[in-house]
C-alpha cells in the first residue's frame, strides 16, 4: 500500500513538473510554479525558512520522502531504473554498496562554493535545476546555446547510473540528497529489519535501488534510504516493516541475529539458475540533433517580400541586464540555480541562458527578439530561489534595471538621412525625446535624447530601433537596481 501511494504521488508530481517547464498552454508555468518553490535548494537560497523547516521536519519524521515523491530528478532516476528492469522480473538488478565518503567531499566543496557566491556547481549539481535544463532542452528551447549540451550530457550520465544501479547519482553526487541524509539517519518512521524473521535471502538487499541494505549485519543505512518501500514488497517473509524505529522490541533495526545459511544457499542457487539474456542495449537519443537540423531550413524573413530583414546582433553591454525584481546583478547570480523556468515562461523572448563563464547558463536579458513589457511579471512569479522577487505591474515601473544610450553613428537619422522617432514613440515611460540636431536650424532633423533618470531599462527602444544589425540604442544594466 505504501509503495503504491508513493508511486501515485510521484507520478502526479513528475507530470506536473514536465508541464511546468514545457509550458504547453498559456499560464501553465504560473499555475504550477508552486511546485518549484518546494524544491530544497531554491527554497534555501530564497531563505524561505517555512518551506525548509517543513522539509526537514518531514525528513526527521518519515525519512527521505522528498527524494522519492517531490524531487523531479529523483523520480526520473526511478523511471529509468524501472525501464532497465522490464522483462527481467527475477533478475537481481542492483548491487549493494558500502558507504561512499566521496559524497561528503562533494558536499563540502558544494557548500564552500555556495557560501563564496561561486555558482558554477549550483547550475551543474542542483537536481531541480538540472531537471529544468533537461525539460527545456526536450521542449526544443535554447537551440544554439550551451544548455542543451550540458542537459544532454547530464541526462546520459544520470540515466546510465540509474539504469545500472539505481540511485547512484542521488546518493553519491547530489548535495541535496546528502543534506537530507544527515536528518534521515534519525527519522522516527523508517523500514526496519526484524532479525528473527529475516532468512538472509538477500533479495531486499540486491533489489534496493539506494544500495543501503546490508543483510549480513541486518542494518540499513538510513542516510541513503529514499523510502521507496520496494523492500517491503520484495520481502516474502515479512521481515521488513515501515514503522516507528525506536521501539525496544525483538525487531530492533540493529539486532544482528543468526543467518540462515541453508535458506541463503538455496536462494542463491535458484537465482543463479535463472536465464539472464544479457543487458539491454541502452540507447540515448538526442532530440537536439533534429532541432539543430531544422535551423538551416528556417525561412528567410523578408520585408513585404521585397528585401531580406537582417537579424539583430547582441550588443556589448558594460553591465549585464538582470530581470525586474532582482535587487542587483550580484544578488541575482548568487541565488539563481539556472533552472531556466523564467526563460521558459517569458512570453517576450527577453530572457536567455548566458554564455559568459562567470554566470554560465544562468539567465540574462537581451532585446534582439523582444523587450520587457511593463505589464508582464511572469518571471517574478515563478522564480523559486528568490533571485527574482515577486512584482506587480505597478511596482515594476518603479524599478530601474538599466539605462539606454544612443549611438548616433548607427541612428538611421544620421546614417540614412531619414526621420524616425521610433524609440521615442514606444518608450513606455517617456524617457526619450526627439530634439533638433541643430537648434539654430528649424529644418534640422530630430535625433533621440535619453533622460537617464526616467529610463527603466525595459529595452523597447533597443528592440524597436530599425537600425541593423546593431540597434542605435543599447541598454546597459545597472549593477544595483534603483527603486523610485
Amino acid at each position: 500500500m505504501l509503495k503504491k501511494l508513493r508511486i501515485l504521488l510521484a507520478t502526479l508530481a513528475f507530470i506536473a513538473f514536465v508541464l511546468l517547464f514545457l509550458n504547453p498552454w498559456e499560464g501553465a508555468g504560473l499555475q504550477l510554479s508552486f511546485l518549484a518553490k518546494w524544491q530544497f535548494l531554491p527554497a534555501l537560497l530564497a531563505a524561505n525558512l517555512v518551506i525548509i523547516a517543513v522539509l526537514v521536519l518531514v525528513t526527521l519524521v518519515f525519512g527521505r520522502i522528498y527524494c522519492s515523491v517531490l524531487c523531479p530528478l529523483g523520480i526520473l532516476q526511478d523511471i529509468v531504473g524501472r525501464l532497465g528492469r522490464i522483462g527481467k522480473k527475477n533478475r537481481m538488478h542492483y548491487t549493494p554498496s558500502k558507504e561512499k565518503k566521496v559524497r561528503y567531499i562533494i558536499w563540502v566543496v558544494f557548500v564552500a562554493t555556495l557560501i563564496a557566491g561561486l555558482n558554477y556547481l549550483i547550475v551543474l549539481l542542483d537536481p531541480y535545476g538540472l531537471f529544468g535544463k533537461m525539460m527545456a532542452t526536450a521542449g526544443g528551447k535554447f537551440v544554439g546555446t550551451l544548455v542543451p549540451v550540458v542537459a544532454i550530457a547530464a541526462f546520459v550520465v544520470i540515466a546510465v547510473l540509474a539504469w545500472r544501479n539505481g540511485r547512484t547519482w542521488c546518493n553519491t553526487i547530489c548535495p541535496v540528497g546528502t543534506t537530507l541524509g544527515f536528518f534521515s539517519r534519525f527519522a522516527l518512521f523508517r523500514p526496519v529489519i526484524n532479525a528473527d524473521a529475516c532468512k538472509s535471502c538477500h533479495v531486499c538487499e540486491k533489489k534496493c535501488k539506494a544500495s543501503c541494505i546490508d543483510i549480513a549485519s541486518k542494518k540499513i543505512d538510513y542516510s541513503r534510504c529514499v523510502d521507496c518501500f520496494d523492500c517491503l514488497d520484495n520481502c516474502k517473509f515479512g521481515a521488513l516493516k515501515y514503522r516507528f524505529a525506536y521501539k525496544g522490541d525483538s525487531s530492533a533495526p540493529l539486532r544482528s541475529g543468526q543467518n540462515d545459511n541453508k535458506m541463503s544457499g538455496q536462494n542463491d542457487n535458484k537465482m543463479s539458475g535463472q536465464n539472464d539474456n544479457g543487458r539491454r542495449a541502452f540507447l540515448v537519443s538526442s532530440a537536439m540533433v533534429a532541432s539543430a537540423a531544422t535551423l538551416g531550413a528556417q525561412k528567410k524573413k523578408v520585408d513585404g517580400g521585397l528585401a531580406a530583414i537582417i537579424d539583430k546582433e547582441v550588443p556589448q553591454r558594460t553591465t549585464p541586464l538582470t530581470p525586474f525584481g532582482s535587487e542587483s546583478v550580484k544578488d541575482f547570480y548568487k541565488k539563481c540555480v539556472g533552472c531556466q523556468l523564467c526563460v521558459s515562461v517569458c512570453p517576450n523572448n527577453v530572457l536567455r541562458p548566458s554564455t559568459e563563464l562567470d554566470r554560465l547558463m544562468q539567465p540574462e536579458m537581451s532585446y534582439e527578439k523582444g523587450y520587457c513589457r511593463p505589464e508582464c511579471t511572469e518571471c517574478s512569479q515563478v522564480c523559486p530561489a528568490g533571485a527574482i522577487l515577486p512584482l506587480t505591474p505597478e511596482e515594476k515601473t518603479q524599478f530601474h534595471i538599466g539605462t539606454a544610450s544612443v549611438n548616433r553613428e548607427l541612428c538611421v537619422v544620421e546614417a540614412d538621412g531619414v526621420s524616425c522617432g521610433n524609440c521615442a514613440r514606444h518608450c513606455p515611460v517617456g524617457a526619450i525625446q526627439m530634439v533638433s540636431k541643430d537648434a539654430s536650424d528649424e529644418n534640422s532633423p530630430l535625433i533621440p535624447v535619453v533622460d537617464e533618470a526616467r529610463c527603466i531599462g525595459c529595452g523597447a527602444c533597443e528592440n524597436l530601433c530599425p537600425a541593423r544589425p546593431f540597434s542605435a540604442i543599447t541598454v546597459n544594466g545597472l549593477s544595483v537596481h534603483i527603486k523610485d
Side-chain angles (χ1 to χ4, degrees):
M1 181 64 184
L2 288 174
K3 179 180 177 180
K4 291 180 180 178
L5 179 60
R6 187 266 302 172
I7 292 175
L8 174 62
L9 294 176
T11 301
L12 294 176
F14 188 78
I15 293 173
F17 273 110
V18 171
L19 295 176
L20 169 66
F21 284 100
L22 296 185
N23 202 28
W25 66 83
E26 186 176 354
L30 289 176
Q31 294 166 10
L32 298 170
S33 62
F34 69 93
L35 287 170
K37 292 176 172 39
W38 278 93
Q39 295 302 294
F40 186 86
L41 186 58
L44 182 65
L45 293 173
N48 197 325
L49 300 183
V50 173
I51 290 180
I52 292 298
V54 170
L55 294 177
V56 170
L57 181 61
V58 168
T59 304
L60 285 171
V61 176
F62 300 108
R64 285 173 58 182
I65 294 290
Y66 168 91
C67 297
S68 281
V69 175
L70 198 56
C71 175
L73 195 62
I75 301 171
L76 179 63
Q77 291 176 73
D78 288 346
I79 294 173
V80 174
R82 179 64 180 172
L83 292 175
R85 299 197 305 275
I86 292 178
K88 301 180 180 179
K89 183 178 180 180
N90 295 321
R91 176 184 169 189
M92 290 301 191
H93 186 73
Y94 302 126
T95 57
S97 64
K98 300 297 184 181
E99 173 71 61
K100 291 182 173 63
K101 303 299 182 184
V102 66
R103 64 172 169 158
Y104 298 114
I105 297 174
I106 294 174
W107 185 84
V108 169
V109 173
F110 182 87
V111 171
T113 58
L114 192 66
I115 294 174
L118 304 174
N119 286 15
Y120 303 112
L121 288 182
I122 289 181
V123 299
L124 293 175
L125 296 183
D126 172 47
Y128 161 75
L130 275 178
F131 183 81
K133 295 178 186 66
M134 293 176 188
M135 287 299 100
T137 299
K141 299 179 184 293
F142 314 136
V143 175
T145 69
L146 188 61
V147 170
V149 177
V150 173
I152 293 172
F155 175 77
V156 170
V157 171
I158 293 171
V160 168
L161 291 175
W163 185 280
R164 290 173 58 85
N165 212 42
R167 291 283 190 120
T168 302
W169 188 92
C170 186
N171 279 332
T172 304
I173 300 174
C174 178
V176 174
T178 302
T179 301
L180 293 179
F182 294 140
F183 301 101
S184 63
R185 294 174 184 269
F186 311 103
L188 298 180
F189 293 88
R190 48 193 173 178
V192 175
I193 300 174
N194 185 328
D196 293 332
C198 178
K199 305 301 181 182
S200 298
C201 67
H202 295 270
V203 172
C204 62
E205 178 184 77
K206 294 181 180 179
K207 287 191 174 183
C208 176
K209 60 191 175 189
S211 302
C212 64
I213 300 177
D214 183 1
I215 287 300
S217 60
K218 300 295 187 296
K219 291 183 179 180
I220 298 176
D221 183 351
Y222 294 108
S223 70
R224 287 186 288 165
C225 177
V226 293
D227 286 329
C228 65
F229 308 124
D230 287 353
C231 58
L232 306 185
D233 282 2
N234 289 326
C235 183
K236 298 179 180 180
F237 308 102
L240 272 159
K241 300 291 183 183
Y242 182 77
R243 64 165 180 79
F244 184 69
Y246 295 97
K247 288 179 10 179
D249 58 19
S250 62
S251 59
L254 298 183
R255 181 173 177 177
S256 59
Q258 295 181 348
N259 293 333
D260 189 337
N261 295 327
K262 182 178 179 181
M263 178 62 69
S264 177
Q266 290 176 350
N267 185 76
D268 289 343
N269 292 334
K270 181 180 178 181
M271 294 311 300
S272 63
Q274 296 292 337
N275 180 29
D276 187 354
N277 294 323
R279 294 181 179 272
R280 291 177 178 267
F282 183 66
L283 304 176
V284 179
S285 59
S286 171
M288 298 312 300
V289 173
S291 300
T294 61
L295 291 179
Q298 292 180 345
K299 293 183 179 179
K300 182 186 294 184
K301 293 183 291 184
V302 296
D303 181 9
L306 300 177
I309 298 178
I310 302 173
D311 287 333
K312 283 181 178 286
E313 294 187 14
V314 183
Q316 291 290 331
R317 305 186 195 277
T318 56
T319 303
L321 286 161
T322 58
F324 289 88
S326 54
E327 296 180 343
S328 67
V329 173
K330 181 179 180 180
D331 182 76
F332 177 77
Y333 288 118
K334 184 176 181 179
K335 293 181 178 179
C336 175
V337 298
C339 70
Q340 312 302 323
L341 182 56
C342 60
V343 183
S344 298
V345 303
C346 179
N348 305 309
N349 295 313
V350 168
L351 287 165
R352 67 179 185 197
S354 175
T355 57
E356 299 295 327
L357 290 178
D358 60 340
R359 51 185 185 275
L360 192 63
M361 292 184 293
Q362 294 177 296
E364 65 181 4
M365 300 178 74
S366 203
Y367 301 129
E368 295 78 55
K369 298 180 180 180
Y371 66 93
C372 194
R373 297 179 181 274
E375 70 275 11
C376 177
T377 60
E378 290 200 23
C379 64
S380 75
Q381 304 302 318
V382 302
C383 179
I388 312 174
L389 300 176
L391 289 175
T392 64
E394 293 75 22
E395 291 173 330
K396 183 175 180 178
T397 57
Q398 299 174 7
F399 279 86
H400 302 260
I401 66 168
T403 55
S405 60
V406 180
N407 185 335
R408 289 175 55 178
E409 293 182 359
L410 297 178
C411 182
V412 295
V413 177
E414 293 271 9
D416 301 328
V418 297
S419 60
C420 181
N422 215 30
C423 52
R425 285 194 299 271
H426 293 93
C427 179
V429 293
I432 302 178
Q433 301 295 324
M434 301 301 292
V435 301
S436 296
K437 178 182 178 182
D438 184 356
S440 62
D441 183 359
E442 61 180 13
N443 295 320
S444 175
L446 301 179
I447 57 174
V449 175
V450 179
D451 182 351
E452 294 186 358
R454 300 185 66 176
C455 178
I456 61 175
C458 69
C461 55
E462 180 180 321
N463 174 252
L464 298 171
C465 175
R468 294 292 192 280
F470 293 101
S471 295
I473 295 186
T474 299
V475 180
N476 290 298
L478 294 174
S479 297
V480 179
H481 295 177
I482 302 171
K483 184 180 180 181
D484 289 336

